[in-house]
Each structure stands twice: as structure tokens, then as C-alpha cells.
Amino acid sequence: MTILGLPPSLYPKSPAHFDIEKVIRPNILALHPYRCARDDYSEGILLDANENALGHSIPSSSTQKATQSEPELAPELQSTLSLDLHRYPSPTHDPIKSRLAELRGIPGPEFVFLGVGSDEVIDLLMRVCVAPEREKILITPPTYGMYAVCAQVNDVGIVKVPLELSGNNGEGGEHGRFSVRIEEVKKAVDADPTIKLIFLCSPGNPTGTLVPLSTVRSLLEYENFKGIVVVDEAYIDFAGSEASAVSLVKEYANLCVMQTLSKSFGLAAIRLGIALAHPALIQILMNTKAPYNISTPTASLALSALSPSAVDAMRDKVATLVASRGQLLAKLTELAPLGLGAAVGGNDANFVMVPVLEKSGNGRPDNARAQAIYKRLAEEEGVVVRYRGGEPGCAGCLRITVGSAEENEVLLSRLGELLRKV
Ligand SMILES: Cc1ncc(COP(=O)(O)O)c(C=O)c1O
């Protein structure tokens, strides 16, 4: 079998134990992708895609008089209206892919896939690799909830190998709290050859803990695992570029790194997720996706966000948030006498996780108190954090996103007040 659209020179060669044609579902390998109008021509008098030749009908502010029932169009929408909105978007968005390849130091756009958020990439990976009812994914709780939700939607099984939950060896690394228990993962894979995808999250959500590259490499090289290791790096820019598994993409065709513009780039609303992987897997994802998954407004904003000046500005904001994270952590320790525990996890993302302890001062995490504080913070104080006490190894924990300096001040004072009261 061949992978449609993949030049023979790009068939994966390493690692030797990986055969992509055994990982991808036969129905996907056999697929003749939908050939959309924009695959063939995108210039000239375009009468090939049944678009509306007269364009959209949203009045611009110059042609529309504001009335009470129809207030004037928001000025910031004007530039969006000047895009070719009556045309279908590009099916490939190569300029965005080229900028991402350059930014992340990978060979070229053929290593990049764009999805409607990482959430689409997660779903697509399951659909192309894991047969419903028969095959499985492996996750390492506590982790991002969408892997399990998506598995359930696609009717694929879930094998759970929890992260190391004890705090006896510090945080993260190869053996500390929230590290991946490599030997246990390998045992699970040995016991169940139907596992096709291993999802790792680095830095983890909600743990904030990086997965060391040595751990990723160890799973990529494990000959008994014939599937794909997926490393979700939604928060990687808050951790430093040397921590990214992207550096392994050229070497290992059985690796898929997911990133997103939702976090460091501050563009959660446009829904742009990214998969960085060997061209063979990228070609499979391209063959399977909906033809026009990325909209023109999203593509236009993404391209701007990836310009050199915007990337510099993104890095400045990340540096500010990382500094604020340090200040927030320091101020949270001042709440210890009120029954707030030391932050758990690696603190390598744009959030921190702190356990609420029993009021008695015995140092034990207290889910009921944490939940009460979470609810009152949101409903009485207007400060919304996330309760994570139900996750393994996260008893009593609140996950707090690093906000602006003012937001962090408000959070700290309201949390302090509630810890006194509850
Ligand atoms: C680990 C992780 N992956 C992926 C996502 C979703 O990313 P996107 O907005 O690109 O769908 C999130 C969002 O919170 C996340 O925490």
C-alpha cells in the first residue's frame, strides 16, 4: 500500500521498528481524498466552487447607517470584511506552515499540519490510527481531559498509566512527582498490542511539569511499541525552547508534537492548532481532514501572529507571564499559615497548582474546603480558578492561571480572605 500524495523519497526510515502503514487504519490508507476546487486553481475567474460571485452581504460601516436594532459594525471587523470571504479558504495554508517550520527549526512545511485547535488534531490522530471498539490509546493521568473525551467519542479504548504521584523525589524529571513511569508504560504496551497512541503532555495540564526528552526518546525507541508517541506541547513556550520534543521530529517518524496558538500567542479564539511530525503522518492527516478546516480570518490572523515582530512581542509577553508566575508563587507561599499548601508540579506553564489544606493545620489536603473556596471565589468574588482536587495526585488542588499583575493582586487578596473565612 502507498500513502497517497507522499513522494517515495519521503517514506519514513527511522526508527527501524516503525512501519507507518501498520499504524494507520487500512480504510484511511486506502482513502482517495476529496479533491477540492482550490486544490487545482486559485486564480482567474473562479467559477469552479459554487461560491457567491457577488460576495457577502454584511454592510460595511460606510454603507450602513446605525439604527437602534442594528448598531454600527465594530470598526475592528472592517479588515476582516475586506478579506476574500466569499471564496473558500486555502486547503493548505503553506505560508503559515513555512513560518512555523522556521520558528520551530524543522526542515519545511511538509512537516506541519494545521487543525482547528489542538483539539481537532487530537481527534484526527485517533480517527486515522485507532480502530473503534478494537484498539486503544494510552494516557498518563492526571492529564488533559480531551484525550479521554475524544477516545470515548471515537469509541476507542483507554489504558491509563498514572504519572508518579508521590513527591518523594522532588518534582518532574525522570523520577519526581508527575514524571512518566516509563517502565509501567512499557509494561502496559507489552500487555496490550492494540495500543496505537501514547499521549504525553509537556508541560502537563494540570501538573505544569515537563516530560524530559530522555523519557520521550525512551518510548520512541521502545521496539515493542509500534504506534505513535504524541507529545502535547500546548504550553511549551512558557518552559523554554530546549525543552521541546520538536528537536526529535526529524529523527523519529513515530513522533507527533502538538502545539497551538491558543496559549503563548494569546489567540485561543481563532482556533489554530499545530501538529509537527514526519511528512508521512502529515500527509495522512492532510488526506483525512475536512478540505477547508482553517478559515480565511483565522489564517490571516495566524500569519500576522507569526511575523517576526509579532513573535518578538509574544516572547515579551511570555517573559512577563513567567516573571509574574514567580511572583504569584512567592505570594501564595505567604498564605501558608491560612492553610494553603506549597505549589505542586513543575510550574513550567502559565498556571500554578496549589492544594487547599485542612483548616485544623494538620497539613492534609481538603477537597471539601477547596471546592467551597473555588465556588465562593467565583460566585461571590468574581475570580474564577479551576478545581482539580478530583484528579490523581491533586487532592485539594486549585489550578490558577497566571493573570495580569492586577488580576493576580485581586486573586491573592480574595483567596486570602476566603482562606480566613472557610
Ligand atoms: C494540554 C492542552 N492541550 C491542548 C489544549 C487545547 O488547545 P487548543 O485551544 O489548541 O484546542 C489545551 C487547552 O487548555 C491544553 O491544556
Side-chain angles (χ1 to χ4, degrees):
M1 189 112 35
T2 53
I3 295 174
L4 219 96
L6 185 72
S9 61
L10 285 181
Y11 268 74
K13 294 185 187 63
S14 69
H17 68 270
F18 178 67
D19 179 353
I20 189 155
E21 293 183 6
K22 295 220 169 82
V23 179
I24 305 301
R25 294 167 63 200
N27 58 315
I28 300 293
L29 279 176
L31 185 72
H32 277 260
Y34 177 72
R35 212 168 160 77
C36 65
R38 289 297 155 268
D39 278 324
D40 295 327
Y41 302 102
S42 54
E43 277 166 25
I45 296 179
L46 296 173
L47 303 177
D48 57 348
N50 302 343
E51 296 150 336
N52 186 329
L54 305 185
H56 67 74
S57 303
I58 307 169
S60 71
S61 47
S62 57
T63 59
Q64 186 205 21
K65 271 259 155 295
T67 64
Q68 212 167 18
S69 61
E70 272 193 78
E72 201 174 317
L73 202 75
E76 62 272 18
L77 279 184
Q78 289 304 334
S79 57
T80 305
L81 290 185
S82 66
L83 296 169
D84 263 349
L85 295 182
H86 63 307
R87 298 288 177 207
Y88 281 105
S90 158
T92 56
H93 298 292
D94 290 328
I96 300 177
K97 292 181 182 178
S98 295
R99 281 197 189 173
L100 280 166
E102 198 184 335
L103 177 70
R104 299 311 192 191
I106 48 178
E110 67 280 14
F111 283 76
V112 185
F113 174 81
L114 304 177
V116 183
S118 314
D119 288 343
E120 187 192 14
V121 181
I122 296 167
D123 183 62
L124 205 48
L125 284 169
M126 286 190 202
R127 285 197 286 136
V128 301
C129 297
V130 195
E133 294 184 3
R134 283 196 289 113
E135 296 180 327
K136 303 192 182 89
I137 64 160
L138 185 149
I139 62 172
T140 59
T143 192
Y144 182 47
M146 275 304 281
Y147 313 140
V149 169
C150 218
Q152 197 170 343
V153 168
N154 286 299
D155 207 3
V156 310
I158 305 170
V159 173
K160 296 181 184 175
V161 180
L163 297 172
E164 171 60 51
L165 299 180
S166 89
N168 301 339
N169 294 308
E171 301 288 348
E174 287 185 8
H175 303 289
R177 182 173 14 211
F178 299 137
S179 59
V180 175
R181 290 153 66 228
I182 304 176
E183 291 314 313
E184 301 304 315
V185 172
K186 289 182 179 172
K187 273 188 216 153
V189 164
D190 290 345
D192 193 341
T194 71
I195 296 172
K196 298 294 270 309
L197 298 173
I198 295 176
F199 280 90
L200 305 178
C201 192
S202 179
N205 176 5
T207 65
T209 303
L210 279 168
V211 177
L213 295 192
S214 55
T215 297
V216 179
R217 225 182 245 280
S218 164
L219 295 176
L220 290 170
E221 287 180 359
Y222 189 53
E223 291 185 9
N224 290 358
F225 179 57
K226 308 291 185 199
I228 292 173
V229 178
V230 183
V231 183
D232 184 345
E233 294 191 347
Y235 301 96
I236 196 69
D237 290 322
F238 300 100
S241 56
E242 67 292 346
S244 171
V246 159
S247 57
L248 305 179
V249 160
K250 277 182 281 179
E251 223 177 308
Y252 296 95
N254 54 346
L255 169 65
C256 178
V257 177
M258 294 194 302
Q259 298 184 346
T260 177
L261 296 195
S262 296
K263 311 293 178 182
S264 54
F265 284 87
L267 286 169
I270 75 168
R271 312 302 302 126
L272 195 99
I274 299 149
L276 305 167
H278 187 280
L281 181 61
I282 298 297
Q283 186 65 52
I284 295 282
L285 296 175
M286 287 301 288
N287 291 353
T288 315
K289 77 175 177 79
Y292 305 113
N293 60 335
I294 306 299
S295 77
T296 299
T298 289
S300 157
L301 288 164
L303 200 59
S304 303
L306 292 165
S307 72
S309 63
V311 169
D312 285 348
M314 175 278 276
R315 290 200 171 117
D316 284 350
K317 286 199 171 128
V318 165
T320 303
L321 288 169
V322 167
S324 300
R325 180 179 72 198
Q327 288 150 12
L328 181 62
L329 284 166
K331 294 263 175 62
L332 285 167
T333 60
E334 292 171 16
L335 300 179
L338 301 174
L340 192 69
V344 295
N347 301 312
D348 277 312
N350 66 336
F351 53 81
V352 298
M353 198 161 59
V354 276
V356 174
L357 308 179
E358 282 184 15
K359 189 115 182 177
S360 61
N362 64 14
R364 275 203 292 266
D366 186 338
N367 271 350
R369 188 172 178 230
Q371 261 173 313
I373 289 178
Y374 154 73
K375 199 163 172 345
R376 287 183 66 174
L377 253 183
E379 293 176 12
E380 296 169 20
E381 310 294 340
V383 178
V384 185
V385 299
R386 203 94 197 252
Y387 170 72
R388 279 287 169 258
E391 299 288 325
C394 304
C397 277
L398 300 178
R399 193 194 69 197
I400 305 173
T401 307
V402 178
S404 66
E406 300 76 38
E407 288 171 335
N408 296 341
E409 279 308 313
V410 177
L411 161 87
L412 286 161
S413 85
R414 306 286 158 85
L415 180 60
E417 280 165 32
L418 280 172
L419 284 165
R420 270 181 208 97
K421 284 194 232 164
V422 178

